[in-house]
């Protein structure tokens, strides 16, 4: 029987911690009925009832957001994601600029090789024509 009470107490503590984290991480527009400080006090002073009340009535769910204690994805809402910068490896414009820069560098290297090859060929032709001339 003591194990059962210990397990129920542990479940109540975990539920209270989850509700507290959820309440503290919720944005101002997502909290219903009471101010955030009131919800925090209710969850702290009445852990079981307050936690259940928070999950049932405290957090507002939007049309694209399911009701859950933990933030979905990385914890940022869609409006925050839109305003944030994109990582370079996820930015198509940056990736295409790298490809374009690489093509330009390859073309420049190819042009230098061609110029060097032409210069060497000209040197060889000049040398051949000098060797073919009879010395006077």
């Amino acid at each position: 029987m003591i194990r059962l009470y210990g397990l129920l107490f542990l479940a109540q503590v975990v539920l209270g911690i989850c509700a507290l984290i959820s309440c503290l991480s919720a944005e101002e527009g997502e909290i219903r009925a009471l101010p955030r400080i009131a919800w925090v006090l209710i969850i702290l002073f009445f852990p079981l009832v307050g936690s259940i009340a928070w999950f049932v009535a405290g957090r507002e769910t939007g049309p694209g957001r399911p009701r859950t204690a933990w933030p979905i994805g990385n914890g940022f809402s869609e409006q925050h994601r839109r305003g944030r910068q994109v990582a370079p490896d996820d930015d198509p414009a940056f990736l295409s600029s790298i490809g374009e820069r690489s093509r330009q560098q390859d073309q420049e290297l190819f042009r230098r090789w061609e110029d060097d090859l032409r210069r060497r060929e000209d040197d060889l032709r000049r040398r051949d024509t000098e060797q073919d001339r009879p010395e006077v």
Side-chain angles (χ1 to χ4, degrees):
M1 199 61 161
I2 292 176
R3 287 183 187 170
L4 179 63
Y5 288 139
L7 185 63
L8 290 176
F9 176 74
L10 183 64
Q12 177 182 343
V13 169
V14 169
L15 183 65
I17 291 172
C18 290
L20 193 59
I21 290 172
S22 176
C23 180
L24 293 174
S25 67
E27 294 181 18
E28 286 299 324
E30 296 176 344
I31 300 174
R32 291 191 303 182
L34 298 171
R36 181 187 316 263
I37 190 70
W39 279 113
V40 169
L41 293 174
I42 290 171
I43 292 169
L44 288 175
F45 290 130
F46 309 103
L48 183 61
V49 176
S51 300
I52 293 171
W54 165 253
F55 289 126
V56 171
R59 189 158 195 175
E60 184 172 326
T61 59
R65 181 185 177 139
R67 185 173 289 214
T68 178
W70 300 102
I72 302 297
N74 60 3
F76 294 105
S77 66
E78 189 62 35
Q79 63 197 41
H80 283 181
R81 279 187 230 145
R82 273 187 251 126
R84 298 182 75 199
Q85 290 182 347
V86 178
D89 57 343
D90 292 337
D91 187 7
F94 178 75
L95 294 175
S96 66
S97 73
I98 289 177
E100 181 62 31
R101 194 174 343 150
S102 176
R103 280 190 290 279
Q104 288 174 354
Q105 288 173 348
D106 290 347
Q107 288 174 350
E108 178 64 25
L109 182 62
F110 185 67
R111 187 189 60 75
R112 278 189 268 148
W113 285 349
E114 285 180 332
D115 291 345
D116 188 45
L117 182 61
R118 280 191 200 106
R119 185 183 48 79
R120 288 181 184 193
E121 286 176 345
D122 290 343
D123 288 346
L124 284 174
R125 281 190 197 117
R126 223 176 291 130
R127 218 179 297 152
D128 286 345
T129 57
E130 288 175 3
Q131 288 176 357
D132 290 343
R133 272 194 254 162
E135 293 185 22
V136 181

